[in-house]
Amino acid sequence: QVQLVQSGGGSVQAGGSLRLSCAASGTIVSINTMEWYRQVPGKQRELVAIITSGGSTTYADSVKGRFTISRDDAKKTAYLQMNGLKPEDTGVYYCHADRIFFTDSVLGDRVAVDYYGQGTQVTVSS
């Protein structure tokens, strides 16, 4: 009943910009901390940015000053604005929610934990 649906991404030249979105679907009550990760083949998934329910943000050193994470709680959506993209930013980007509080039509109030979006490819060419 709960999904994180990602959109955005694609291919861009170095120095360009992309914006990723991550929308929660279902009868969502609230979402606490959300993160963006990226994964390159052969490497571990890397934490890129974090935003808490209060709006506090944290970034990986590799993206500080270039990426901005934000959220719109009314839309149940998180965003990752990526500027000044570099070839090393190439990878599959995943949004993640630590806890999604939602209402199930049969079971009532529920919580989904450790939820990932489907992933979206970002390719930056030099």
Side-chain angles (χ1 to χ4, degrees):
Q1 304 92 338
V2 174
Q3 280 188 304
L4 291 177
V5 181
Q6 296 181 220
S7 59
S11 297
V12 66
Q13 288 194 323
S17 298
L18 287 171
R19 188 194 197 204
L20 307 182
S21 298
C22 173
S25 65
T27 308
I28 308 299
V29 176
S30 63
I31 306 171
N32 67 349
T33 299
M34 299 187 76
E35 302 100 351
W36 286 96
Y37 289 83
R38 66 185 176 197
Q39 186 148 30
V40 177
K43 292 188 177 181
Q44 278 194 320
R45 191 170 290 187
E46 175 190 14
L47 178 60
V48 174
I50 302 170
I51 186 164
T52 69
S53 57
S56 297
T57 58
T58 306
Y59 297 92
D61 287 343
S62 58
V63 307
K64 273 182 189 175
R66 299 187 298 121
F67 289 14
T68 303
I69 187 171
S70 62
R71 61 191 293 163
D72 184 334
D73 288 334
K75 294 182 179 180
K76 306 296 187 284
T77 300
Y79 304 94
L80 186 68
Q81 177 67 43
M82 305 183 290
N83 299 327
L85 282 160
K86 304 176 181 180
E88 51 264 42
D89 294 320
T90 294
V92 178
Y93 284 69
Y94 297 90
C95 66
H96 175 268
D98 289 359
R99 283 181 173 78
I100 303 174
F101 297 89
F102 67 100
T103 300
D104 182 273
S105 59
V106 175
L107 300 175
D109 293 339
R110 308 283 290 174
V111 57
V113 298
D114 197 23
Y115 243 71
Y116 281 95
Q118 81 276 17
T120 186
Q121 177 70 42
V122 170
T123 303
V124 185
S125 57
S126 56

